[in-house]
């Protein structure tokens, strides 16, 4: 009955590899997000996506790409992983136009370690 | 662009006492939301409290309340009757009104609760 789930919770990989992190929400929300939390715990938006638009934070390298097979899923694909990509990645969702607009529910996070 | 500032990297409080965490923000938006999220060691991001900027009344959720000063762009969190389970990193966040709007987070305040 988890609201926002992410897989895997931990990911250890070598530099240069390509990896994906999956996110699913069962809240019926129409907007999903990816955030990156660095080693100093600073949280920064990477993408937001609904069926109307994809908003990309301009500082995100184009090695990162969100892929949404349907409204309940927003996966994060990362090409050519670099050491600096090591972080915790959070998926979140919200329902636009509701009485709780912009109230975002977060997944448990995926800790990515690049060796 | 919005900025959110949390000037207290660390705070401590005695169990059963009250503590206030500070947050200031800067924006040119007229309609927005403010949030406090809690991140315990489990790293799960948990919404603590939410405030709509158009509401003058300060939000409360059980032992948690805010002091929202719109003119001063200040949004502090008060935790009453602190409990050991309140120990966590607390993040203040700003969210503009509208669809697919991304949250801007402060740098966080690490709260320690002393028995």
């Amino acid at each position: 009955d988890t609201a926002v789930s992410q897989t895997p919770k931990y990911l250890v990989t070598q530099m240069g590899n390509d990896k994906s992190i999956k996110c699913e929400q069962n809240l019926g929300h129409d907007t999903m997000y990816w955030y990156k939390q660095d080693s100093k715990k600073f949280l920064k938006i990477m993408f937001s996506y609904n069926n109307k638009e994809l908003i990309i934070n301009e500082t995100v390298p184009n090695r990162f790409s969100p892929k949404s097979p349907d409204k309940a899923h927003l996966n994060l694909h990362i090409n050519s992983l670099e050491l600096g990509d090591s972080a915790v990645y959070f998926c979140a969702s919200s329902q636009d136009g509701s009485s709780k607009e912009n109230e975002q529910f977060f997944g448990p996070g995926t800790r990515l370690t690049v060796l | 662009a919005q900025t959110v500032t949390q000037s207290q990297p660390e705070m401590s409080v005695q169990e059963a006492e009250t503590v206030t965490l500070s947050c200031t923000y800067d924006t040119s938006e007229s309609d927005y939301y403010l949030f406090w999220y809690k991140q315990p060691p489990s790293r799960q991001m948990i919404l603590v409290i939410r405030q709509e900027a158009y509401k003058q009344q300060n939000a409360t959720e059980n032992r948690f309340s805010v002091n929202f000063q719109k003119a001063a762009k200040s949004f502090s969190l008060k935790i009453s009757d602190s409990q050991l389970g309140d120990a966590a990193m607390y993040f203040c966040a700003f969210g503009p009104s509208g669809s697919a709007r991304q949250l801007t987070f402060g740098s966080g305040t690490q709260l320690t609760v002393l028995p």
Side-chain angles (χ1 to χ4, degrees):
Chain A
D1 58 350
T2 305
V4 183
S5 60
Q6 294 178 229
T7 52
K9 287 196 170 58
Y10 298 92
L11 181 54
V12 181
T13 188
Q14 297 287 332
M15 222 166 53
N17 283 351
D18 301 340
K19 289 293 178 186
S20 291
I21 305 172
K22 295 185 177 180
C23 178
E24 176 182 2
Q25 54 94 5
N26 63 7
L27 296 166
H29 287 169
D30 62 3
T31 304
M32 297 182 73
Y33 309 81
W34 278 104
Y35 290 86
K36 178 180 179 180
Q37 186 174 43
D38 63 23
S39 58
K40 294 184 180 178
K41 299 281 185 96
F42 190 67
L43 270 157
K44 195 167 183 182
I45 185 69
M46 299 178 72
F47 307 99
S48 62
Y49 181 78
N50 63 19
N51 59 2
K52 299 170 200 145
E53 61 183 335
L54 169 65
I55 301 174
I56 303 172
N57 185 314
E58 60 189 16
T59 66
V60 175
N62 58 14
R63 298 181 295 103
F64 290 77
S65 56
K67 298 187 191 304
S68 180
D70 55 57
K71 220 171 80 164
H73 297 84
L74 183 66
N75 303 326
L76 180 65
H77 190 75
I78 316 168
N79 288 328
S80 304
L81 278 156
E82 299 179 357
L83 294 177
D85 297 333
S86 295
V88 178
Y89 292 85
F90 286 96
C91 177
S93 72
S94 68
Q95 180 60 42
D96 283 344
S98 71
S99 61
K100 299 209 168 190
E101 184 179 81
N102 222 328
E103 188 170 312
Q104 295 184 18
F105 292 82
F106 282 76
T110 295
R111 180 177 292 281
L112 171 65
T113 303
V114 182
L115 304 175
Chain B
Q2 288 75 227
T3 58
V4 178
T5 303
Q6 292 179 250
S7 58
Q8 306 152 317
E10 297 175 345
M11 291 280 286
S12 62
V13 62
Q14 209 71 39
E15 199 175 1
E17 297 295 308
T18 295
V19 65
T20 299
L21 308 184
S22 302
C23 173
T24 58
Y25 60 96
D26 192 21
T27 183
S28 56
E29 304 266 352
S30 57
D31 196 13
Y32 52 87
Y33 301 84
L34 295 162
F35 306 88
W36 279 97
Y37 279 86
K38 166 184 175 180
Q39 187 178 38
S42 67
R43 84 167 179 246
Q44 177 71 53
M45 293 289 289
I46 302 165
L47 178 64
V48 174
I49 200 163
R50 173 180 190 263
Q51 174 80 43
E52 291 92 337
Y54 63 85
K55 287 189 177 177
Q56 291 188 327
Q57 187 173 6
N58 289 325
T60 62
E61 283 289 339
N62 301 315
R63 297 182 295 108
F64 299 86
S65 61
V66 299
N67 183 0
F68 174 47
Q69 302 289 329
K70 191 171 183 180
K73 295 184 176 150
S74 168
F75 182 62
S76 60
L77 175 71
K78 185 169 88 170
I79 307 175
S80 304
D81 186 26
S82 296
Q83 300 176 0
L84 294 176
D86 295 334
M89 180 75 96
Y90 286 81
F91 292 97
C92 178
F94 174 99
S97 181
S99 64
R101 294 297 187 166
Q102 305 159 348
L103 294 178
T104 300
F105 284 87
S107 54
T109 297
Q110 181 68 51
L111 178 67
T112 301
V113 180
L114 305 168

